[in-house]
Amino acid sequence: MPDAEKFSDIDQADLAILAQLQEDSALSNLELAKKVHISPATCLRRVKRLWDAGLIEGEVALLSRERLAATLGHGLEAVVEVSLDRQGSEEQEAFEARVIADDAVQQCYRVSPGPDFILIVYARDMPDYLALAQRLFTSDANVRNVKAFFSVRRAKFRPRIALPRTPR
């Protein structure tokens, strides 16, 4: 993937495209072009350039946990603070590699100060969370402390980057 920092030719049309795609990446090229006031051919070329530059990393469908709960159950979402005993680069990389390989870990952040990692994890139920804790935390001799906060309500979830407003 090209280095996004080297992509310096971003302009208002690119910002408008990125803003629209963050709202709805399922827009057709024609719909996107209309929304950002450029021709469909220009829009297609710019979107490809943004992908090629690595400014767009991927597209996903955001599923409604509430609507799926009847089928899958509500599950548990937890914000987990993890402190390591040894914080050397090698130990942090080893822990990070292990947790990001686990499907239950939805997000992983190295943070400072405070704990070494913040994880967002999802489990079907408490026994599933306990199994996750055993495989990721208890079995790791370098994990010093784990503090889990279970979500009772998500008030906001908006995975997007704030972009400058476009004048169009």
Side-chain angles (χ1 to χ4, degrees):
M1 171 173 29
D3 187 11
E5 290 179 26
K6 295 178 184 173
F7 189 76
S8 60
D9 296 338
I10 195 162
D11 62 14
Q12 291 299 312
D14 293 325
L15 289 172
I17 289 168
L18 292 171
Q20 287 298 320
L21 290 176
Q22 284 191 114
E23 289 296 320
D24 184 0
S25 68
L27 289 171
S28 71
N29 184 62
L30 185 58
E31 293 169 318
L32 180 58
K34 283 182 184 177
K35 287 184 178 278
V36 298
H37 310 288
I38 59 177
S39 74
T42 298
C43 186
L44 191 62
R45 192 170 49 252
R46 283 177 175 262
V47 169
K48 182 183 181 333
R49 189 171 55 106
L50 293 167
W51 272 99
D52 291 346
L55 294 174
I56 302 172
E57 292 183 356
E59 295 176 306
V60 298
L62 299 176
L63 307 181
S64 170
R65 283 205 178 126
E66 289 302 314
R67 292 188 175 140
L68 285 169
T71 304
L72 303 177
H74 282 281
L76 297 172
E77 184 174 38
V79 178
V80 182
E81 293 181 357
V82 180
S83 297
L84 301 180
D85 197 33
R86 295 174 309 283
Q87 291 90 9
S89 174
E90 191 175 298
E91 290 88 358
Q92 286 188 335
E93 288 173 13
F95 178 80
E96 185 176 279
R98 210 160 47 72
V99 298
I100 65 175
D102 195 294
D103 287 339
V105 177
Q106 296 182 336
Q107 297 174 54
C108 173
Y109 302 92
R110 282 193 201 185
V111 296
S112 179
D116 298 302
F117 289 89
I118 300 287
L119 308 176
I120 308 298
V121 301
Y122 184 78
R124 287 184 314 274
D125 50 27
M126 190 53 77
D128 191 41
Y129 176 79
L130 291 173
L132 173 150
Q134 175 63 37
R135 87 180 160 263
L136 295 182
F137 314 133
T138 307
S139 64
D140 187 335
N142 193 36
V143 172
R144 179 173 24 110
N145 189 41
V146 176
K147 190 184 292 185
F149 303 89
F150 293 94
S151 173
V152 294
R153 180 176 172 267
R154 181 172 68 191
K156 181 177 183 179
F157 178 73
R158 192 166 174 109
R160 56 179 289 141
I161 295 174
L163 299 172
R165 298 235 183 245
T166 56
R168 296 181 178 222

